[in-house]
C-alpha cells in the first residue's frame, strides 16, 4: 500500500531503517550483556518482540502513522542471534537489511508511478502488474546473492 508513491515509500523505508537499526543494536546488547551471561537465552523471542514493539510504538507516536514492519524487524533480530553476531555486527546487519528494504520499496514505488502512465492491458492492471513487477525485481535482486566483499 505504501509503495504507490515514492514519497510515502521513502518515509516507510526511513521508518524501517530506524526501527531495524535500533532494534538490532538493543537486542544484541540485551542478548550479549544480559540474556546470554545469565543463561536466559530462552527469553530471546519475548524480549525481542517487546523491544521491537516498543520501537514501533515510538515511531508511530512520532510519525502518526501505522508501521507494519514488526515482522521484518523481528526476523533481522533473530537472524543476528542465530548467527552469533556481536553488537556491532548485529547493528550493521540491521542497517543493511533496512537499507535493502528501503531500496526495494522506493524502486517499487517509482516503477508503480511510471506504470500509471503506461498502456497496460485491463487484465493486468492493479495487483497483477504489481506482482509481475515484484517478481522481476526479485529475480534482479537474486543477482546480489553471490556477491561477496
Amino acid at each position: 500500500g505504501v509503495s504507490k508513491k515514492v514519497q510515502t515509500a521513502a518515509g516507510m523505508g526511513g521508518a524501517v531503517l530506524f526501527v531495524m537499526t535500533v532494534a538490532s543494536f538493543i537486542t544484541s546488547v540485551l542478548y550479549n550483556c544480559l540474556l546470554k551471561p545469565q543463561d536466559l537465552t530462552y527469553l530471546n523471542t519475548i524480549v525481542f518482540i517487546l523491544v521491537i514493539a516498543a520501537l514501533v510504538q515510538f515511531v508511530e507516536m512520532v510519525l502518526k502513522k501505522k508501521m507494519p514492519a514488526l515482522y521484518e524487524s523481528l526476523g533481522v533480530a533473530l537472524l543476528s542471534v542465530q548467527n552469533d553476531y556481536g553488537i556491532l555486527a548485529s547493528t550493521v546487519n540491521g542497517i543493511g537489511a533496512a537499507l535493502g528494504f528501503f531500496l526495494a520499496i522506493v524502486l517499487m514505488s517509482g516503477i508503480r508511478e511510471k506504470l500509471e502512465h503506461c498502456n497496460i492491458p485491463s487484465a493486468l492492471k492493479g495487483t497483477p502488474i504489481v506482482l509481475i513487477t515484484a517478481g522481476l525485481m526479485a529475480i534482479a535482486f537474486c543477482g546480489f546473492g553471490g556477491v561477496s566483499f
Side-chain angles (χ1 to χ4, degrees):
V2 254
S3 67
K4 289 183 180 179
K5 299 226 180 276
V6 173
Q7 186 176 2
T8 56
M12 177 65 172
V16 171
L17 176 64
F18 172 78
V19 170
M20 289 176 74
T21 302
V22 175
S24 295
F25 174 77
I26 292 173
T27 56
S28 182
V29 168
L30 289 173
Y31 178 78
N32 289 308
C33 297
L34 180 67
L35 298 176
K36 194 173 181 181
Q38 299 297 325
D39 197 28
L40 299 172
T41 55
Y42 58 90
L43 295 174
N44 285 350
T45 305
I46 294 170
V47 170
F48 295 170
I49 287 172
L50 291 174
V51 167
I52 294 164
L55 288 170
V56 169
Q57 289 301 313
F58 174 74
V59 170
E60 280 183 327
M61 289 187 311
V62 172
L63 300 178
K64 302 285 188 197
K65 289 184 179 180
K66 186 178 178 186
M67 295 294 147
L70 178 60
Y71 178 75
E72 289 85 2
S73 298
L74 176 61
V76 171
L78 288 175
L79 183 64
S80 294
V81 169
Q82 289 171 350
N83 289 328
D84 200 28
Y85 291 160
I87 294 169
L88 180 61
S90 293
T91 304
V92 170
N93 184 47
I95 291 169
L99 285 173
F101 177 83
F102 180 85
L103 175 66
I105 198 166
V106 169
L107 285 174
M108 175 63 91
S109 67
I111 292 169
R112 287 182 75 175
E113 282 184 6
K114 295 283 186 192
L115 286 173
E116 288 179 10
H117 305 292
C118 293
N119 188 13
I120 300 170
S122 60
L124 294 178
K125 286 187 179 181
T127 303
I129 197 68
V130 172
L131 292 175
I132 291 169
T133 303
L136 292 172
M137 286 178 62
I139 291 169
F141 280 118
C142 281
F144 292 115
V147 176
S148 60
F149 297 100

